[in-house]
Amino acid sequence: MEINWDKVGEQAAELLAALIRINTSNPPGNEAAACGFLKPIYARLGLEPVLLGPEPSRQSIIGRLKAQKPEGEPLLLLSHLDTVPADAKEWSKPPFAGAIEGGEVWGRGALDCKNATAVELTALKLFVEAGHQPRRDIILAATADEEMGGERGVGWLIENHFDLLAAGFGINEGGGFSVKVAGREVFLCQTGEKGICWIKLTAQGPSGHASTPPAETAMTRLLAALNAVMRHKQPLRLTDTVRVLVDQVASQFGPVARVAARAALSPLLEEYALRRIKSAENRNLARAVIHNTVTLTGLKGGDKVNVIPGEVIATLDCRVIPGFTPDQMLAEVRQIVEPFGVTVETIATSTGGEMPADSELYRAIGETLRAHSPQAILAPYLMPGGTDGRYLVQKGVKVYGFIPLQMEAGEKEPIFRRFHGKDERVSIQNLIFGARLLYDLLVRFCAR
Ligand SMILES: [Zn+2]
């Protein structure tokens, strides 16, 4: 079957625009409306869709293309239907109008991640229309609530209907975009993400009039404890993902830069390697993927200038390298702050995870990419933030972030910097690119 890719691009753009026009800003989400829109499309492809969720307005949609006599574990194509909110005043086009102009689709979710919903569905549609028979089940799921932590989406589904998502492998948002390294295009496949440990620190002390202060108060205790936490140097923590990434990226450099980049893997030289990264944003990103981070995000206590408060509170957002647990992070913070009389408790935690960069699916992604662009390099990367993938990783699903997006012509910054930003948009060329790669991947990985 000869595929007319321009036509595929037009249809994918229309599909994405229609999804953008259904406002699923979370909160409140209201993903059920988007599920209702997708249901007949799923049904026409024979995916037998089901809509499920903890509340009528918070639904996710799951469909399945069944293999006759399956050989191999199912592949899950995952995306989320909710978006972060958008303030129309900051945008040059209305964020929920789904305008298609100048070869681009505009609106909230165009990159995070209704584009993923659109290209996954488009690729599977092409697979069905081309008459391919799957040798393994292909599950297509578009879910609720990712932007608020996924408890009403993938988290809820795993608790209540895991059989519907149970797969050996998964493709999700979180990676697939390209960056330029020494003139070559490197596609970053997300193979892991950091865990989360949100901590509340509480200090107590005598309250009273501030004209006759005691030497120690809740405030002085908390400040001393926070200073100790902030001064505590987080050691280098390497993962296989980062080792492979640094090695692959460094191999593109000349001899001096190559040695400098590899220095990031040495506890003695990492500071030197990080200082060589010119952009502060990239430097912070590099630092975050090789360390646990502890960030002070809140301070509360005292509302009268002349009264000493009896209790003050701080919150810490700690992000934890895979292999290191949130409990270990909590213990580390506790050990530092308890001598100051400060107590710790967790607000929320999630464990990070890491997937092998040599699994059957990862290899198929690499082969697919090279078949398209022989010069392109596939490299694994660790995400400092989190996606719904973490729920599935805990269940043993090998989920990779790979929604292909090329750097746009004339674009200097990697495309992921536009996620959650104003004027979010994606080019139709990139939708074609994504659908094309995912279609080829489905044929390679799933066709009989
Ligand atoms: Zn997302």
Side-chain angles (χ1 to χ4, degrees), residues 20 86 88-89 91-99 101 106-108 423-424:
I20 289 170
K89 288 194 296 293
W91 285 56
S92 26
K93 293 186 202 301
F96 300 103
E101 276 180 50
W106 283 68
R108 178 56 86 218
D423 287 350
E424 189 179 340

Side-chain angles (χ1 to χ4, degrees), residues 80 82 111-113 146-147 173-174 386-387 419-420:
H80 63 86
D82 63 317
L111 288 168
D112 182 11
C113 73
E146 192 274 345
E147 297 292 358
E173 64 162 344
T387 71
F419 288 30
H420 294 197

Side-chain angles (χ1 to χ4, degrees), residues 16-32:
L16 173 57
L19 286 167
I20 289 170
R21 285 177 205 127
I22 303 168
N23 184 342
T24 50
S25 302
N26 186 9
N30 197 27
E31 300 87 349

Side-chain angles (χ1 to χ4, degrees), residues 111-113 115-116 119-120 171-178 186-193 365 378-383 387 399-406 415-416 419 438:
L111 288 168
D112 182 11
C113 73
N115 62 318
V119 295
E120 286 175 355
I171 293 284
N172 187 24
E173 64 162 344
F177 24 76
S178 67
V186 177
F187 283 82
L188 297 172
C189 179
Q190 186 217 356
T191 54
E193 55 191 62
I365 293 172
L378 184 72
Y381 96 103
L382 177 72
M383 196 180 189
T387 71
V399 189
Y400 294 90
F402 192 73
I403 302 299
L405 282 167
Q406 281 183 300
I415 209 160
F416 61 81
F419 288 30
L438 289 188

Side-chain angles (χ1 to χ4, degrees), residues 110-146:
L111 288 168
D112 182 11
C113 73
K114 287 176 171 172
N115 62 318
T117 311
V119 295
E120 286 175 355
L121 179 52
T122 300
L124 188 55
K125 181 167 176 278
L126 291 168
F127 185 92
V128 171
E129 286 172 355
H132 290 293
Q133 291 302 318
R135 66 170 190 268
R136 58 173 91 232
D137 283 8
I138 304 172
I139 305 164
L140 184 64
T143 58
D145 200 34
E146 192 274 345

Side-chain angles (χ1 to χ4, degrees), residues 38 115 128 146 188 193 210 215 242-243 246 272 305 331 338 382 384 435:
L38 290 171
N115 62 318
V128 171
E146 192 274 345
L188 297 172
E193 55 191 62
V242 167
R243 280 194 197 93
V246 169
Y272 159 76
V305 69
E338 267 185 356
L382 177 72

Side-chain angles (χ1 to χ4, degrees), residues 136-401:
R136 58 173 91 232
D137 283 8
I138 304 172
I139 305 164
L140 184 64
T143 58
D145 200 34
E146 192 274 345
E147 297 292 358
M148 296 285 283
E151 274 172 32
R152 293 181 176 80
V154 174
W156 184 88
L157 288 167
I158 289 210
E159 284 290 310
N160 296 282
H161 300 277
F162 178 61
D163 54 313
L164 296 177
L165 293 180
F169 302 92
I171 293 284
N172 187 24
E173 64 162 344
F177 24 76
S178 67
V179 292
K180 280 269 160 62
V181 176
R184 283 187 72 177
E185 202 167 23
V186 177
F187 283 82
L188 297 172
C189 179
Q190 186 217 356
T191 54
E193 55 191 62
K194 290 176 84 174
I196 292 171
C197 182
W198 289 343
I199 297 175
K200 180 174 149 187
L201 303 181
T202 307
Q204 288 175 329
S207 58
H209 200 275
S211 59
T212 50
E216 256 191 47
T217 67
M219 210 57 107
T220 63
R221 284 174 187 151
L222 185 67
L223 281 178
L226 285 173
N227 273 319
V229 169
M230 294 317 191
R231 266 201 305 268
H232 178 74
K233 186 170 163 22
Q234 291 294 334
L236 179 68
R237 289 188 195 280
L238 291 177
T239 51
D240 289 343
T241 298
V242 167
R243 280 194 197 93
V244 175
L245 172 67
V246 169
D247 220 54
Q248 277 184 328
V249 167
S251 66
Q252 299 308 309
F253 293 153
V256 176
R258 189 180 310 160
V259 171
R262 292 206 169 112
L265 303 179
S266 145
L268 294 174
L269 297 172
E270 51 142 330
E271 276 304 326
Y272 159 76
L274 288 171
R275 273 203 304 273
R276 282 181 56 99
I277 301 174
K278 287 190 194 77
S279 121
E281 256 176 337
N282 290 343
R283 196 163 52 238
N284 294 341
L285 180 64
R287 190 183 297 280
V289 297
I290 53 177
H291 297 96
N292 294 334
T293 56
V294 178
T295 310
L296 175 64
T297 51
L299 278 173
K300 228 186 332 205
D303 48 14
K304 282 196 113 177
V305 69
N306 59 348
V307 176
I308 298 166
E311 183 178 280
V312 288
I313 287 165
T315 52
L316 298 174
D317 180 342
C318 308
R319 301 295 171 125
V320 185
I321 294 286
F324 196 84
T325 66
D327 280 349
Q328 286 173 296
M329 186 81 239
L330 183 70
E332 188 180 299
V333 171
R334 173 176 285 134
Q335 207 185 5
I336 298 171
V337 304
E338 267 185 356
F340 300 95
V342 171
T343 60
V344 295
E345 60 191 297
T346 51
I347 300 167
T349 63
S350 82
T351 307
E354 193 181 22
M355 249 67 56
D358 61 358
S359 70
E360 193 186 348
L361 178 58
Y362 188 87
R363 285 198 305 273
I365 293 172
E367 286 159 14
T368 305
L369 182 64
R370 280 187 294 279
H372 269 262
S373 340
Q375 291 300 307
I377 296 167
L378 184 72
Y381 96 103
L382 177 72
M383 196 180 189
T387 71
D388 278 341
R390 70 183 185 281
Y391 289 105
L392 293 152
V393 173
Q394 298 306 320
K395 286 289 200 177
V397 186
K398 295 186 200 71
V399 189
Y400 294 90

